Amino acid sequence: DDKLPTGYQLLGENTQYTIHAFLGNGYFGYTYSALAHNLVTGEKKEVVLKEFFPYRYYHRENGFMAVLNEDCSESLMEDNLAKFKEEALIMKRLGNRPDSHIVPAYEFFNNEQTNTCYYVMPFYPNGSLEKLQETGFSFTEELVINQIVKPLCKALHIAHEAKVLHLDIKPENILVDNEGNAVLIDFGVAKQYSKEGIIIDEKGLSSRSVFAAPELKTEGAMVRFGAQTDIYGLAASIFYLIAFPADPHPIMDFSNQDWDIRECLKHAHCSPQFIDAIIRGLQHSAVARPASAQAFLLL
């Protein structure tokens, strides 16, 4: 009920944004499609706006203004706002590199009328891999390697070089660009690391996602930088897309043998080399997985 209505206009630095549709919500707020009209160049294009509006803790006054609930901690919201800004900065820093396969952030701005802030991303009309799978699309081994594994390994190489872990790789967070290649989105739970591999901020370092690595499912289990955690998320997503299990969780977390995974992928007509690579990526122990995105791609 608190989402901004279709037609509502927001002014950035040099661009006016007119909301087209509500796309969804997450912990930090709401996401909309919008028309961006650059008031300097006259250019118009469809974009995505992400609004800082943690709906569990905020409400609207006068229909538009975001106001913190009385029983909510201001310090908690300050931490959340800092994380929201950090996400935008990460996506701007990593995504604006040529051919990064990471969704970039174009602009971050505050709006006085709504009393909150926004960042802007490109609009991908093809949607996510999750939505594509729901249509009954057939993910062949060749397509997965060339249009999902290769671009996402490049994206992860760029992120890990910058000492950033995504930590929430899943089909929902992988979009399809106009060329049919995968691009990575949503760095809302990403973590940055020091050169020594120490996590800079350990808050919220856990996950309930069925695609999350085992070390993320136990609070405090992951304390050092490790590309293997994202490799697990990528392997889990690929396995889910190509094998179509009803629920990937039991196979990936509770089987003591690789036989389950192997049989599912054999049934999907995958090659032995492809199957071995996915199994390596899904090992319960992080040290048993490929140590980098390049190593996973080579497999």
Side-chain angles (χ1 to χ4, degrees):
D1 293 339
D2 284 333
K3 63 182 183 292
L4 296 175
T6 298
Y8 190 80
Q9 293 185 330
L10 298 155
L11 186 62
E13 184 175 352
N14 294 309
T15 304
Q16 185 178 67
Y17 300 97
T18 303
I19 289 178
H20 280 170
F22 173 74
L23 299 178
N25 65 279
Y27 179 81
F28 287 124
Y30 294 157
T31 306
Y32 310 88
S33 63
L35 176 68
H37 179 199
N38 189 304
L39 302 177
V40 176
T41 66
E43 180 190 14
K44 294 181 179 181
K45 63 182 178 181
E46 192 79 2
V47 297
V48 171
L49 277 176
K50 192 164 184 178
E51 177 186 43
F52 182 73
F53 190 88
Y55 64 95
R56 295 180 180 87
Y57 309 107
Y58 271 48
H59 64 278
R60 302 271 190 200
E61 289 186 0
N62 302 322
F64 308 112
M65 182 170 288
V67 179
L68 186 66
N69 296 338
E70 290 184 0
D71 59 350
C72 182
S73 163
E74 289 190 15
S75 62
L76 173 63
M77 284 304 99
E78 288 174 1
D79 289 344
N80 284 337
L81 179 56
K83 186 62 181 173
F84 183 79
K85 290 179 179 178
E86 181 186 24
E87 178 185 15
L89 288 172
I90 288 174
M91 293 175 69
K92 185 174 184 178
R93 178 161 55 100
L94 303 182
N96 283 298
R97 292 177 53 167
D99 198 29
S100 69
H101 296 285
I102 295 172
V103 174
Y106 294 145
E107 178 185 15
F108 184 96
F109 65 94
N110 295 294
N111 184 270
E112 291 184 3
Q113 190 172 353
T114 59
N115 193 40
T116 189
C117 55
Y118 303 80
Y119 70 83
V120 187
M121 300 172 284
F123 178 71
Y124 292 86
N126 295 325
S128 69
L129 292 183
E130 180 186 55
K131 295 295 184 184
L132 189 59
Q133 187 193 41
E134 290 173 356
T135 68
F137 184 85
S138 178
F139 290 89
T140 64
E141 178 179 328
E142 181 181 7
L143 180 144
V144 166
I145 290 172
N146 290 320
Q147 295 185 260
I148 299 177
V149 177
K150 286 182 179 179
L152 289 188
C153 281
K154 184 169 186 178
L156 289 180
H157 175 69
I158 289 171
H160 297 163
E161 263 197 332
K163 293 293 186 288
V164 174
L165 280 188
H166 186 279
L167 300 180
D168 196 22
I169 297 176
K170 54 188 177 184
E172 178 186 350
N173 287 339
I174 302 169
L175 303 183
V176 181
D177 68 14
N178 292 333
E179 286 73 46
N181 295 315
V183 287
L184 191 58
I185 197 170
D186 199 343
F187 282 73
V189 298
K191 292 294 180 182
Q192 300 189 67
Y193 295 77
S194 67
K195 291 181 179 179
E196 295 75 28
I198 305 299
I199 296 171
I200 294 172
D201 177 14
E202 294 186 23
K203 292 179 181 177
L205 194 61
S206 62
S207 176
R208 295 180 181 178
S209 169
V210 296
F211 300 96
E215 60 268 25
L216 283 176
K217 294 177 181 176
T218 303
E219 191 76 39
M222 183 183 175
V223 294
R224 297 187 68 84
F225 175 85
Q228 296 94 332
T229 303
D230 279 344
I231 299 302
Y232 187 102
L234 177 55
S237 297
I238 294 166
F239 171 68
Y240 183 70
L241 291 170
I242 207 166
F244 299 103
D247 185 354
H249 193 282
I251 294 176
M252 289 188 276
D253 275 356
F254 299 117
S255 174
N256 291 321
Q257 301 177 7
D258 297 331
W259 182 86
D260 301 319
I261 300 168
R262 192 175 297 278
E263 287 303 305
C264 282
L265 292 174
K266 277 184 180 179
H267 186 70
H269 309 292
C270 296
S271 68
Q273 184 175 346
F274 183 90
I275 294 171
D276 287 342
I278 299 302
I279 287 174
R280 282 284 305 278
L282 291 176
Q283 291 300 298
H284 191 277
S285 171
V287 296
R289 299 175 213 141
S292 67
Q294 301 101 306
F296 182 61
L297 181 57
L298 285 173
L299 289 180

